[in-house]
Amino acid sequence: MDNLFQPYALNDTLTLQNRILMAPLTRCMADENLVPTQAMADYYARRADTGLIISEATIIRADGQGYPNTPGLFTAQQIQGWRKVTDAVHAKGGKIFAQLWHTGRVAHPHFFGGEYVLAPSAIAVEGTVPRMRELVYTVPKAASHEEITKLIEDYSQAAANAIDAGFDGVEIHGANGYLIDQFLHHASNTRTDEYGQTPENMARFPLAVVDAISNRIGADRTALRVSPGAYFNMGTDARDREVFDYFLAELEKRELAFLHLGIFDDSMTFDYLGGTGSAYLRANYSKTLVGVGGYSAETGSQAIADNKFDLLAIGRPLIANPDYVAKVKAGETLVEYSDEMLASLI
Ligand code: FNR
Ligand code: 8K6
């Protein structure tokens, strides 16, 4: 497993101390103003020996909220709260990116006191907010051109706020069926204007967000997470393949810090992608790729050795083991993750 403990240069400005990343993990522990707490700063600092921490998904503005107590990056108080987190991580020699999030149609007006939620098209996601059965997902409003322009500005502002808060960069959450991903899949995007129907159009908003943020804070500090395979908050449509083929070719022209697969289990295969999400991304994108989803240090190290991806993100095992990196290095037994662990920050 030596390859996991080698440094990795993302670019000229950022070198990671090892190849184990902390995957973004929503914990719903911010305070009532969606401000990160001291307990969150301590939690992240305990994981500062990973090569890079990617923060839990953090909303860019109020109407992006789909779960209780998810932190934000749009008020001065929230920026201050994150500053405590980034200072604590940096004091222990770590690096941390903010994951920037708007849940689109997976948002719920309950959380922000609004009348409706925004999405590419007026197609609701089925079901209810997890653990809040009374909150049935609503039919979203299809975003107008002005609303799309404002969303792009707000993503860019949130990225600037992240840098103000001391983050080393941002990962744009373009995965898991949230707003950006909703533009990239036919099941959630039936627009007939320049944001729908063709791969070029469906990739227009995601690329505009990537470019606005890259221009604002530098492409070397901008990363992206994508889910070419529909598996969460999203229906399957084989035409999505050509959308992602085009989108990845466009991303290839940019100099992002890394591309990260969004998946819970990377052994899952998708017919229209011809295999796993990571294999599809590797075949269509040649730059730094982060793999994730059900890996152990052993299987992840082997996947890197087999050139399936360059960096390994670890999620649930890092919830269960704050000292994951040290334990793996020392060959110690890990505590097994269970969902009950989500109730507190250890
Ligand atoms: C997640 N995941 C996730 N993904 C993301 O992009 N942003 C997020 O905020 C979250 N939040 C989140 C919370 C919890 C409790 C879980 C279990 C997962 C997905 C996560 O980043 C990762 O892709 C999966 O957990 C798969 O990796 P592991 O856990 O098998 O290593
Ligand atoms: C990103 C925000 C998530 C909110 C917290 C919920 C985390 C629950 C983790 C389990 C969900 C598993 C979903 C996997 C879907 C696979 C379907 C084939």
Side-chain angles (χ1 to χ4, degrees):
M1 287 189 284
D2 286 354
N3 60 358
L4 292 180
F5 301 104
Q6 289 157 6
Y8 184 91
L10 288 174
N11 44 50
D12 291 344
T13 47
L14 279 169
T15 296
L16 311 183
Q17 58 180 325
N18 60 57
R19 296 189 186 209
I20 301 173
L21 275 56
M22 180 177 176
L25 295 161
T26 290
R27 301 303 308 268
C28 300
M29 296 281 185
D31 77 11
E32 67 280 10
N33 296 314
L34 312 186
V35 174
T37 62
Q38 185 60 45
M40 286 167 62
D42 298 342
Y43 158 87
Y44 282 112
R46 282 193 284 275
R47 290 150 174 91
D49 58 351
T50 55
L52 178 68
I53 295 170
I54 303 166
S55 80
E56 64 203 281
T58 298
I59 56 175
I60 62 160
R61 61 185 217 187
D63 71 350
Q65 189 177 353
Y67 308 88
N69 298 91
T70 53
L73 254 174
F74 55 93
T75 70
Q77 246 188 322
Q78 291 161 358
I79 295 170
Q80 282 297 321
W82 277 119
R83 169 63 73 178
K84 272 191 232 161
V85 175
T86 62
D87 281 349
V89 169
H90 290 150
K92 292 183 68 187
K95 289 197 162 50
I96 181 166
F97 274 31
Q99 193 188 46
L100 301 184
W101 199 25
H102 191 297
T103 62
R105 65 177 183 164
V106 187
H108 200 286
H110 165 81
F111 295 116
F112 55 92
E115 282 168 22
Y116 56 84
V117 303
L118 287 177
S121 300
I123 305 169
V125 65
E126 275 176 36
T128 58
V129 176
R131 287 175 240 128
M132 303 183 83
R133 289 236 180 110
E134 73 283 12
L135 296 181
V136 177
Y137 286 120
T138 61
V139 178
K141 173 181 182 299
S144 67
H145 283 188
E146 293 73 42
E147 285 164 336
I148 288 177
T149 302
K150 181 76 169 102
L151 280 163
I152 296 165
E153 281 170 21
D154 290 341
Y155 268 104
S156 161
Q157 184 59 50
N161 293 348
I163 299 303
D164 273 356
F167 283 101
D168 298 288
V170 304
E171 176 179 276
I172 302 164
H173 196 343
N176 296 351
Y178 299 115
L179 180 65
I180 290 174
D181 201 30
Q182 288 158 28
F183 276 86
L184 293 165
H185 291 270
H186 285 278
S188 48
N189 183 351
T190 56
R191 296 178 74 99
T192 54
D193 64 359
E194 67 265 39
Y195 294 99
Q197 287 181 313
T198 67
E200 291 82 351
N201 287 347
M202 293 170 74
R204 193 177 306 283
F205 173 73
L207 287 171
V209 172
V210 167
D211 290 340
I213 291 180
S214 300
N215 290 337
R216 188 81 174 251
I217 67 167
D220 56 335
R221 294 196 284 186
T222 305
L224 176 67
R225 194 170 209 200
V226 294
S227 293
Y231 77 104
F232 189 54
N233 301 315
M234 188 59 68
T236 296
D237 189 315
R239 293 173 299 164
D240 294 350
R241 167 66 187 254
E242 57 179 12
V243 180
F244 278 88
D245 284 356
Y246 171 81
F247 186 46
L248 292 172
E250 282 299 312
L251 293 172
E252 182 80 31
K253 298 178 191 163
R254 287 143 172 98
E255 298 293 334
L256 296 180
F258 58 83
L259 187 67
H260 183 184
L261 173 64
I263 195 84
F264 277 76
D265 180 355
D266 192 32
S267 67
M268 195 174 175
T269 56
F270 300 89
D271 287 347
Y272 66 96
L273 299 180
T276 62
S278 61
Y280 169 72
L281 291 183
R282 194 55 145 182
N284 290 277
Y285 183 82
S286 73
K287 298 177 180 173
T288 300
L289 180 64
V290 181
V292 71
Y295 288 97
S296 64
E298 288 83 1
T299 60
S301 163
Q302 189 59 48
I304 290 175
D306 294 342
N307 200 29
K308 292 184 172 159
F309 43 78
D310 306 293
L311 298 166
L312 172 68
I314 294 289
R316 287 162 289 190
L318 259 162
I319 291 178
N321 301 273
D323 49 352
Y324 180 87
V325 172
K327 275 186 176 162
V328 168
K329 225 182 221 171
E332 286 171 28
T333 312
L334 296 168
V335 175
E336 203 173 327
Y337 167 85
S338 70
D339 287 339
E340 297 79 71
M341 292 176 182
L342 296 178
S344 61
L345 289 177
I346 58 160

